[in-house]
Amino acid sequence: MKHLLDIESADVGFLLKVLNTSEIFLKVLDQPSKKLPTLKGKTILFMFLEPSTRTQISFELAAKRLSADTVNFSPGKSSMQKGETLLDTILNLNSMELDAVIVRSPSPGTPHFIAKHINASVINAGDGAHEHPTQALLDAFTVKQKLGKLENLKILIVGDILHSRVARSNLFLWKKFGSEVLFSGPPTLVPEEFSRLGAKIVELDDYLDKVDVIMVLRIQKERMEASYIPSIREYREFWGITSERLKRIPERTLILHPGPVNWGVEMDWEVMRRENTMILDQVRNGVAVRMAVLYHLLVKAEE
Ligand code: ASP
């Protein structure tokens, strides 16, 4: 594979190779010297057209740990402010001999568009409500690290499914690995069409003790054009992982959240104090997983 644009079209063999290699890179990150020469001489451009904390820093660390040269494109300071189109910007950037472009955009399909016009490998770091492939990979890696497998699991994803690229990427990924995905949330935010894609839509309270993983999503106010929920208070009462609900979730069940968390809305702070809440493990593993993605796209693909 040259690009990582989405999980839906990704080859399952490639995804498994990335997960296996991530284990090796995670060990490297534990060493006093965390740097490898793997991407020496390669140049990676970061094109983040939408805010990001974890994903951007994680990708930057991954690139630097592998000795790549990194450059940042800041839309606010670029010629896009002078009216240059995205296509024109890309054609110009293409002349600068880049090896990879990592793209985050509010518009679905932007990484796919860029990939058509550039020689470099393109990695989707989240495109609107479409996909966020490296998030799903780091989620899978975290689950495998704890539960030892990827198949025959029940993964319950709760919350704002409609606007969630994390939910879509996870749905495609877990189905490829032979696990079951269940969705729960307000009917306005859990579209029926997802059941056609293979997710089972369920009542949260019926499944708290029947799944291996509960993945909680953020309410994405920035993508809501209308009022999808009656009130934050009601959302918390019906779909939040509150202290009361926590008592009904078995200790062995993993709780994940891609971040950033709206504490007190989709999740109470108490969830953080539990051993099998994996939020910070996800962030830590993200660097190793992104190192593995860069390695397989920029080194292995060329061999
Ligand atoms: N950080 C994730 C994303 O960029 C999830 C979120 O923003 O809620 O999609």
Side-chain angles (χ1 to χ4, degrees), residues 50 54-55 104 125 132 135 165-166 218 220 222-223 257-260:
E50 191 194 76
R54 274 156 293 270
T55 307
R104 150 85 47 117
H132 192 350
Q135 176 71 47
R165 51 196 176 208
V166 177
R218 180 174 66 92
Q220 305 213 6
E222 77 274 26
R223 287 189 227 289
H257 191 304

Side-chain angles (χ1 to χ4, degrees), residues 66-277:
L66 294 175
S67 307
D69 293 320
T70 57
V71 256
N72 264 298
F73 171 91
S74 326
K77 293 187 208 143
S78 75
S79 290
M80 279 176 131
Q81 295 297 317
K82 300 177 190 164
E84 187 173 65
T85 62
L86 180 62
L87 178 59
D88 206 2
T89 304
I90 290 160
L91 293 176
N92 278 277
L93 294 174
N94 194 36
S95 312
M96 294 192 218
E97 304 296 337
L98 302 167
D99 295 289
V101 182
I102 297 169
V103 188
R104 150 85 47 117
S105 163
S107 316
T110 306
H112 305 69
F113 175 77
I114 294 178
K116 282 204 187 97
H117 297 282
I118 206 158
N119 300 327
S121 290
V122 177
I123 301 174
N124 180 0
D127 61 331
H130 176 227
E131 279 222 35
H132 192 350
T134 57
Q135 176 71 47
L137 279 164
L138 74 89
D139 293 339
F141 181 79
T142 307
V143 169
K144 183 163 180 256
Q145 196 180 39
K146 271 301 236 189
L147 303 182
K149 61 175 189 172
L150 295 162
E151 69 287 348
N152 296 324
L153 295 172
K154 280 192 171 31
I155 316 284
L156 171 61
I157 308 184
V158 188
D160 184 359
I161 311 281
L162 180 66
H163 300 102
S164 178
R165 51 196 176 208
V166 177
R168 292 176 65 89
S169 288
N170 266 284
L171 170 62
F172 296 128
L173 180 130
W174 289 108
K175 280 191 56 202
K176 282 185 192 222
F177 290 152
S179 280
E180 191 184 355
V181 177
L182 310 129
F183 282 160
S184 190
T188 46
L189 293 175
V190 184
E192 265 303 316
E193 72 190 60
F194 278 102
S195 54
R196 285 198 293 276
L197 294 177
K200 185 169 161 185
I201 298 175
V202 299
E203 283 299 328
L204 175 63
D205 286 314
D206 295 343
Y207 279 83
L208 288 176
D209 59 349
K210 293 190 182 65
V211 295
D212 303 288
V213 177
I214 301 181
M215 195 176 284
V216 188
L217 301 176
R218 180 174 66 92
I219 288 285
Q220 305 213 6
K221 296 196 198 87
E222 77 274 26
R223 287 189 227 289
M224 289 189 188
E225 279 146 22
S227 172
Y228 288 88
I229 48 172
S231 73
I232 293 291
R233 198 169 57 79
E234 254 183 50
Y235 181 85
R236 177 179 176 275
E237 195 176 317
F238 289 107
W239 294 284
I241 303 300
T242 57
S243 317
E244 295 72 44
R245 279 204 178 88
L246 201 53
K247 292 184 193 128
R248 290 160 43 211
I249 299 175
E251 250 317 307
R252 65 180 155 75
T253 307
L254 306 185
I255 299 185
L256 276 70
H257 191 304
V261 180
N262 293 304
W263 292 107
V265 180
E266 66 255 11
M267 199 183 252
D268 282 2
W269 176 249
E270 210 183 312
V271 180
M272 208 49 185
R273 284 198 279 265
R274 178 179 175 275
E275 198 186 318
N276 280 337
T277 292

Side-chain angles (χ1 to χ4, degrees), residues 24-35:
I24 301 165
F25 285 133
L26 194 64
K27 290 199 183 106
V28 173
L29 292 178
D30 271 339
Q31 305 297 316
S33 166
K34 299 170 174 40
K35 218 166 166 95

